[in-house]
Amino acid sequence: MNEKRLSKTEWKRLEKDLCRSRRSVWSQITAKDRKKALLYSDKYKDFISTAKTERESVNIIASKAQERGFVPFEQAGPGSSRVLWTFRGKAAALAVTGKAPVSDGIRIIASHIDAPRLDLKQNPLYEDLEMAFLKTHYYGGIKKFHWVARPLAIHGLALKEDGSAIPIEFGEDPHDPVLTINDLLPHLAHKVQGKKKISEAIPAEKLNVLIGGFPLLGPEDLKDGVKLRILRILNERYGLVEEDLISAELEIVPAGASRDVGLDGAFVGGYGQDDRSCAYASLYSILELKEPQVTSVALFLDKEEIGSDGNTGAKSSFFEVVLYDLMRHGGLQIEADSLVRMLIVSKAISADVTAGIDPDYKEVHDERNDALIGHGVCLTKYTGSGGKYSANDAHAEYVNWLRRVWNDAKVVWQAGELGKVDEGGGGTVAKYLAQRGLDIVDAGPPLLNMHSPFEVAHKTDLFMTYRAFDAFYKADE
Ligand code: MN
Ligand code: MN
């Protein structure tokens, strides 16, 4: 074949016209947006430093929303355009009513506000060799070695028999002592740990939190003085007795605030960015949202990390309660099929993080199809594992709509999936919402260190996630 050789200019033009470029967010946004990205990250760091449990997240979301004119649904009049729901203190929703009737469909961004951690068992406190410890049961997918030999804090709630709820937070104030879980010294670890698989080296029953070491002074023949002193401190400080720990939800989380990472401060490092990075981005966009065309909802769900089961997760009736309330609020006559009919014309984003390619572990990634750090919010058409099992697989038409919305709004985005096909995978809330017939796709920032006590996100990816959610709510079509 007699093919004409292209000039360099022709080559470059063709490349520009036909290929999708992969450039970093930082290199293609304006100086003004670079500044905004840094300011956004500062506010975000404050959020993840204080919202370390689902209950704390709900409290912060509800108070920020009320400051910005959102009214709890029970108090909302027919004219209220900004409405707030909280559910059992662990899930929340915000809605801004649109110009179009809700029967034409709504926009939903669903994120989750639970994160992997260590929960206290129901009978946590014991003494051994004159030290007091708390027994734990881990929540969500953790690598147990991440949780030993590091400062830890306790956050949560205990209920006294009279019904009074006692919030507990300890280990965050720089003047507070912290808690920790001890690990075995390397000198003695050769057999007990060194020859085992990394997943078996630290059994869950050894994730015991050190909480005390001064025995109460009393008659010499009485035992468990360290435990008794800890109970006395808990009683003096919070009014608790040991049985109150049974009706408690106490979570062991990494102590301390989130931090900038890197000499240039390009990253945010901190606990719970899966998925509070998305929760914050959707909160930030819906708080700013005014008179959208389409009624817009931000859902903040619990229990995603353990399969979305339970009455505060994506499978629970909370979602339906919010939707029925919205339909009534929008003046829609409720008939047997009105919820389904509204949902099948609705659009949603399952707002969740994905894995960024770690240069040290490229072998688990498909570099052409996984998310690059610093390259913007990542759209994940399908989740699941092992041949799209348990996946939500978004429709091409919907992906096409969203890419048009994002391109029009100059959102820097990328498309990626979570790791090589046979390597593993993971799910999100997308498939549970998809069962109700709406269009839904996953999107969120790529993380490094996901599910560790110190997850790392690029500031521009966090910012572009906010921009992407904002554009989704504001799109008129
Ligand atoms: Mn997640
Ligand atoms: Mn997760």
Side-chain angles (χ1 to χ4, degrees), residues 120-126 133-136 227 242-243 245-247:
L120 291 199
K121 289 192 182 188
Q122 299 321 108
N123 289 304
L125 184 61
Y126 70 98
F133 297 92
L134 297 168
K135 293 214 58 85
T136 64
K227 176 185 166 182
E242 193 172 15
E243 195 176 283
L245 298 176
I246 294 176
S247 50

Side-chain angles (χ1 to χ4, degrees), residues 319-371:
F319 184 47
E320 274 162 55
V321 167
V322 169
L323 295 172
Y324 276 116
D325 283 351
L326 257 185
M327 285 157 65
R328 278 192 205 98
H329 192 67
L332 188 66
Q333 186 81 35
I334 302 213
E335 285 156 27
D337 63 348
S338 25
L339 178 64
V340 182
R341 296 209 173 271
M342 178 182 81
L343 283 179
I344 56 174
V345 290
S346 292
K347 294 183 169 73
I349 288 178
S350 160
D352 211 339
V353 299
T354 189
I357 301 178
D358 182 335
D360 281 327
Y361 295 97
K362 285 183 184 170
E363 64 270 29
V364 301
H365 291 285
D366 170 2
E367 278 189 65
R368 294 180 186 86
N369 280 289
D370 285 11

Side-chain angles (χ1 to χ4, degrees), residues 112 114 274-275 304-305 351-353 427-428 450-451:
H112 65 92
D114 61 322
D274 172 9
D275 185 32
E304 193 277 343
E305 294 296 356
D352 211 339
V353 299
T428 61
M450 196 205 288
H451 279 210

Side-chain angles (χ1 to χ4, degrees), residues 185-447:
L185 65 168
H187 315 62
L188 297 176
H190 299 293
K191 283 189 216 149
V192 172
Q193 290 181 328
K195 294 205 160 66
K196 286 186 180 156
K197 285 201 284 185
I198 202 165
S199 58
E200 291 163 6
I202 299 172
E205 295 299 342
K206 290 190 197 287
L207 292 177
N208 299 318
V209 181
L210 180 64
I211 193 172
F214 287 142
L216 267 188
L217 304 178
E220 304 231 327
D221 57 335
L222 296 183
K223 288 208 177 82
D224 282 355
V226 180
K227 176 185 166 182
L228 196 55
R229 183 189 292 277
I230 294 299
L231 282 172
R232 192 170 76 175
I233 295 172
L234 288 173
N235 187 263
E236 285 164 357
R237 195 169 298 176
Y238 305 109
L240 300 179
V241 297
E242 193 172 15
E243 195 176 283
D244 296 331
L245 298 176
I246 294 176
S247 50
E249 284 173 350
L250 296 169
E251 305 179 9
I252 302 294
V253 296
S258 61
R259 306 284 296 267
D260 280 356
V261 175
L263 267 183
D264 58 359
F267 306 92
V268 172
Y271 168 68
Q273 303 202 60
D274 172 9
D275 185 32
R276 297 189 189 115
S277 55
C278 291
Y280 188 70
S282 68
L283 174 67
Y284 202 85
S285 22
I286 203 159
L287 289 182
E288 306 266 295
L289 192 62
K290 298 216 172 68
E291 298 178 16
Q293 180 63 25
V294 182
T295 293
S296 299
V297 181
L299 264 182
F300 306 92
L301 297 164
D302 182 25
K303 300 282 182 280
E304 193 277 343
E305 294 296 356
I306 55 168
S308 293
D309 294 307
N311 62 7
T312 45
K315 294 183 202 167
S316 78
S317 52
F318 173 54
F319 184 47
E320 274 162 55
V321 167
V322 169
L323 295 172
Y324 276 116
D325 283 351
L326 257 185
M327 285 157 65
R328 278 192 205 98
H329 192 67
L332 188 66
Q333 186 81 35
I334 302 213
E335 285 156 27
D337 63 348
S338 25
L339 178 64
V340 182
R341 296 209 173 271
M342 178 182 81
L343 283 179
I344 56 174
V345 290
S346 292
K347 294 183 169 73
I349 288 178
S350 160
D352 211 339
V353 299
T354 189
I357 301 178
D358 182 335
D360 281 327
Y361 295 97
K362 285 183 184 170
E363 64 270 29
V364 301
H365 291 285
D366 170 2
E367 278 189 65
R368 294 180 186 86
N369 280 289
D370 285 11
L372 295 170
I373 295 292
H375 283 235
V377 62
C378 179
L379 178 138
T380 302
K381 185 176 180 293
Y382 45 86
T383 51
S385 58
K388 299 195 177 179
Y389 186 76
S390 286
N392 166 61
D393 197 344
H395 293 276
E397 291 86 344
Y398 183 49
V399 171
N400 189 44
W401 175 83
L402 195 56
R403 84 165 167 144
R404 195 163 60 237
V405 165
W406 285 352
N407 285 343
D408 286 351
K410 301 208 160 29
V411 173
V412 184
W413 60 278
Q414 53 185 327
E417 53 186 272
L418 196 145
K420 275 184 179 166
V421 179
D422 283 335
E423 209 65 50
T428 61
V429 300
K431 60 177 176 175
Y432 307 114
L433 272 65
Q435 286 169 357
R436 327 240 179 173
L438 41 65
D439 261 323
I440 186 163
V441 68
D442 273 281
L447 294 189

